[in-house]
């Protein structure tokens, strides 16, 4: 018997019982949609969409990074850390994964490990944006030195200028 095409949840057509192959363009479009949801603050929708994408495209590193970002935004740093460590097991020089892992370690009070992770990230990154953020972060000793990094803008500011917002330390400007 010939398989009949049926529409999938994303609107594409697939043969019944067959996996839908995703084109690079379809993956990028979905990633942009997920980033948009995350930027709008719809973390639950972004997480669901990213998990669905990984289910269809298990090798999609960017979707896994977005899942880790979602967990970080939800304050679920252990889940984010596990995802990032899995990514780094296969790509130990993935700068964004290293940077996010450093942030998770920072948020869970592991300042020394965070500092080491940020230093490693600085050594491997080619991104000028990440380099600039890391150079600012690394100015602060791992013990804090009276300064902390804002969870939103990643700027190093005196601890007294930060306030707790949704479980994160945010500066007054953010």
């Amino acid at each position: 018997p010939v398989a009949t095409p049926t529409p999938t949840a994303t609107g594409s057509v697939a043969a019944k019982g067959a996996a839908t192959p995703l084109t690079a363009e379809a993956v990028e479009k979905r990633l942009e949609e997920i980033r948009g949801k995350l930027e709008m603050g719809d973390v639950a929708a972004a997480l669901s969409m990213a998990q669905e994408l990984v289910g269809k495209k298990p090798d999609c590193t960017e979707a896994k990074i977005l899942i880790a970002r979602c967990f970080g935004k939800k304050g679920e740093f252990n889940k984010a850390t596990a995802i990032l460590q899995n990514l780094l097991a296969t790509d130990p020089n993935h700068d964004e994964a290293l940077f996010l892992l450093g942030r998770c370690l920072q948020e869970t009070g592991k300042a020394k490990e965070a500092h080491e992770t940020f230093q490693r990230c600085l050594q491997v990154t080619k991104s000028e944006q990440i380099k600039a953020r890391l150079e600012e972060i690394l100015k602060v000793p791992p013990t804090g030195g009276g300064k902390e990094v804002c969870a939103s803008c990643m700027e190093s500011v005196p601890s007294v200028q930060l306030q707790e917002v949704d479980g994160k330390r945010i500066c007054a400007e953010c």
Side-chain angles (χ1 to χ4, degrees):
V2 176
T4 26
T6 53
T8 65
T10 58
S12 60
V13 175
K16 196 171 199 145
T20 306
L22 292 174
T23 64
E25 296 81 21
V27 170
E28 189 52 44
K29 181 179 180 204
R30 193 63 169 169
L31 290 169
E32 284 303 315
E33 291 170 357
I34 296 166
R35 287 184 201 105
K37 292 284 185 191
L38 202 51
E39 286 175 21
M40 292 186 324
D42 194 349
V43 177
L47 178 59
S48 176
M49 292 167 67
Q51 288 171 326
E52 178 185 339
L53 181 56
V54 168
K56 292 179 181 180
K57 189 101 172 131
D59 62 336
C60 186
T61 300
E62 181 61 24
K64 292 176 184 177
I65 291 283
L66 288 167
I67 291 170
R69 283 190 177 281
C70 289
F71 281 130
K73 291 222 179 250
K74 292 173 64 175
E76 297 180 37
F77 300 110
N78 290 335
K79 288 181 180 180
T81 297
I83 290 166
L84 296 166
Q85 287 173 332
N86 282 336
L87 280 173
L88 291 166
T90 57
D91 184 1
N93 293 328
H94 192 286
D95 60 352
E96 190 174 3
L98 283 167
F99 183 81
L100 292 173
L101 178 60
R103 290 289 296 126
C104 289
L105 292 168
Q106 205 172 36
E107 288 291 332
T108 55
K110 298 175 182 162
K112 186 174 188 270
E113 294 94 330
H115 196 78
E116 290 167 358
T117 302
F118 288 141
Q119 287 177 321
R120 189 167 139 222
C121 184
L122 185 60
Q123 291 171 352
V124 301
T125 191
K126 291 176 178 41
S127 165
E128 291 304 318
Q129 182 182 12
I130 290 177
K131 279 182 186 176
R133 293 168 80 185
L134 286 169
E135 287 168 357
E136 186 63 28
I137 290 169
L138 290 170
K139 286 180 186 175
V140 180
T143 57
K147 287 190 171 188
E148 294 179 56
V149 176
C150 171
S152 181
C153 67
M154 301 302 299
E155 293 295 321
S156 176
V157 295
S159 297
V160 295
Q161 293 180 1
L162 295 175
Q163 56 190 356
E164 193 81 17
V165 177
D166 296 328
K168 296 180 182 122
R169 305 276 291 157
I170 307 290
C171 70
E173 292 182 25
C174 291

